Amino acid sequence: MAQPLFSPLSLGRYDLSHRIVMAPLTRMRAGEPGDVPHALNVKYYRQRATPGGLIIAEGSPISPSAKGMPATPGIYSPEQVQGWTAVTDAVHQAGALIFLQLWHVGRISHSSHQPHGALPVAPSAIAAAGSAYTATFERAPYETPHTLTVAEIAGVIDSYRAAARNALAAGFDGVEIHGANGYLIEQFLQSRTNTRTDAYGGSIENRVRFLLEVAQAVAEVYGPDRVGVRLSPFGVANDSGEAEPEHLYGFAIQGLAKLKLAYLHLIEPRASGAGQADVDHKNVPSASELFRPTWPRVLIAAGNYTPASANAAVSAGHADAIAFGRLFISNPDLPERIRKDAPLNSYNRATFYGGGAEGYTDYPRLGSSIAAE
Ligand code: FNR
């Protein structure tokens, strides 16, 4: 039976030959010092590249202060641009497209990651519940962040612009703005983390302003048809969550639609933000179904999809493409396996974050018991 996931799709200025997208996945395996992509990362992405497929590379800090976890590969230094260039070259040789996810963690950081040991920054001085990963991979309670001034907000937007220029120089076909999972952009969006009384806080219009200014700045570098935005309207990751997200996110999505961006990427409520656990929230609407009428271009949905539910969502028109996270970690050849309805390797959560080749580049391809090349 024909699978809708294997019908072609135009995305911005590109043509995809199938609709199985690799979701952005932090793996904390950049080369040190300097958080530089290296040969192991090249191999991992090459393994997952398919002709006409789309990879969204892991969240990459846009500046030193945007970082919140060790060994996350950045996109602000010349060495990182060089390291990423080897990744994009390898993926392009395999015929795939690769976008980079631009990431600023805001308060979900720790002073040990910050330049000069400064406090992490955020829209308001409200500490997240829970604990941070320190620079030495230990856990420590989140600190109360420094409130960004309006001038500093302009500086952060400049960092997004510079990061987009670097991504372009590194050969990325486009960029995705990480507006999900409790990080800086979502901290601006949601009232629990944004108590500002200036132009960036208070009303929904004001809370959405930072997202739209970032999107505008990045679109000026890449052209809007090579930029996507990821949002998690019903997410609760990293101490996030808006009581009535429909109105806030509906407004944000309308604003993004006016910018004519290539795609919107929504995380479904049934997935925990970063996939650490299977969460089955009952009685919550599907984010893609709910916001589909508000978004006129390509909609990518993610979160606990199986091949069957992904085909069903595309068939019903709820989403145009489906991003897979954990299944792409454990199945380098995921599109081929789905096409053949073949069994899937299961993933090992213990090797999601940090380490080397184990649980990263050693998952076997179909019909082989050894790691993919
Ligand atoms: C993630 N996720 C994630 N999301 C994101 O926007 N940027 C990121 O860098 C990461 N990093 C990350 C690391 C790991 C190890 C996991 C498991 C998840 C979330 C991911 O993209 C996806 O939305 C979820 O995993 C849900 O999709 P699946 O795994 O159910 O297909």
Side-chain angles (χ1 to χ4, degrees), residues 23-27 57-60 101 103 176 178 180-181 183 230 265 267 271-276 278 302-305 323-327 329 347 349 352-353:
L25 294 160
T26 295
R27 306 302 308 275
E58 65 208 84
S60 297
Q101 193 185 47
W103 191 24
E176 175 174 289
H178 195 342
N181 296 349
Y183 297 113
R230 191 170 215 217
H265 187 175
I267 305 177
S272 76
Q276 287 96 342
D278 294 312
N304 260 356
Y305 278 96
F324 289 89
R326 290 163 292 180
L327 289 178
I329 289 178
Y347 45 80
R349 283 184 206 282
F352 277 180
Y353 297 107

Side-chain angles (χ1 to χ4, degrees), residues 154-210:
V156 176
I157 294 169
D158 284 343
S159 299
Y160 273 99
R161 194 179 286 112
R165 286 200 192 103
N166 286 340
L168 198 56
F172 284 100
D173 301 293
V175 286
E176 175 174 289
I177 297 164
H178 195 342
N181 296 349
Y183 297 113
L184 183 65
I185 289 176
E186 199 171 78
Q187 290 159 30
F188 271 93
L189 289 176
Q190 299 192 346
S191 48
R192 66 190 286 157
T193 38
N194 182 348
T195 55
R196 302 179 72 96
T197 53
D198 59 11
Y200 291 95
S203 65
I204 282 180
E205 189 182 359
N206 282 354
R207 283 185 276 139
V208 168
R209 188 179 312 282
F210 180 67

Side-chain angles (χ1 to χ4, degrees), residues 318-334:
H318 298 151
D320 300 300
I322 303 296
F324 289 89
R326 290 163 292 180
L327 289 178
F328 239 125
I329 289 178
S330 56
N331 296 277
D333 53 351
L334 184 64

Side-chain angles (χ1 to χ4, degrees), residues 193-330:
T193 38
N194 182 348
T195 55
R196 302 179 72 96
T197 53
D198 59 11
Y200 291 95
S203 65
I204 282 180
E205 189 182 359
N206 282 354
R207 283 185 276 139
V208 168
R209 188 179 312 282
F210 180 67
L211 164 67
L212 296 183
E213 289 184 357
V214 168
Q216 177 75 42
V218 168
E220 281 167 14
V221 175
Y222 255 98
D225 57 350
R226 298 200 286 175
V227 175
V229 171
R230 191 170 215 217
L231 299 174
S232 50
F234 299 93
V236 293
N238 294 315
D239 194 19
S240 68
E242 183 76 359
E244 288 178 7
E246 288 87 343
H247 197 46
L248 167 66
Y249 282 90
F251 187 87
I253 291 168
Q254 278 169 16
L256 292 169
K258 287 190 196 125
L259 297 179
K260 302 197 174 353
L261 304 185
Y263 71 87
L264 174 67
H265 187 175
L266 292 177
I267 305 177
E268 296 292 0
R270 60 177 180 263
S272 76
Q276 287 96 342
D278 294 312
V279 183
D280 192 10
H281 299 278
K282 300 282 184 240
N283 305 317
V284 282
S286 151
S288 52
E289 276 184 64
L290 184 68
F291 294 111
R292 166 97 270 187
T294 316
W295 181 253
R297 278 172 292 280
V298 167
L299 181 67
I300 303 176
N304 260 356
Y305 278 96
T306 62
S309 66
N311 269 313
V314 171
S315 171
H318 298 151
D320 300 300
I322 303 296
F324 289 89
R326 290 163 292 180
L327 289 178
F328 239 125
I329 289 178
S330 56

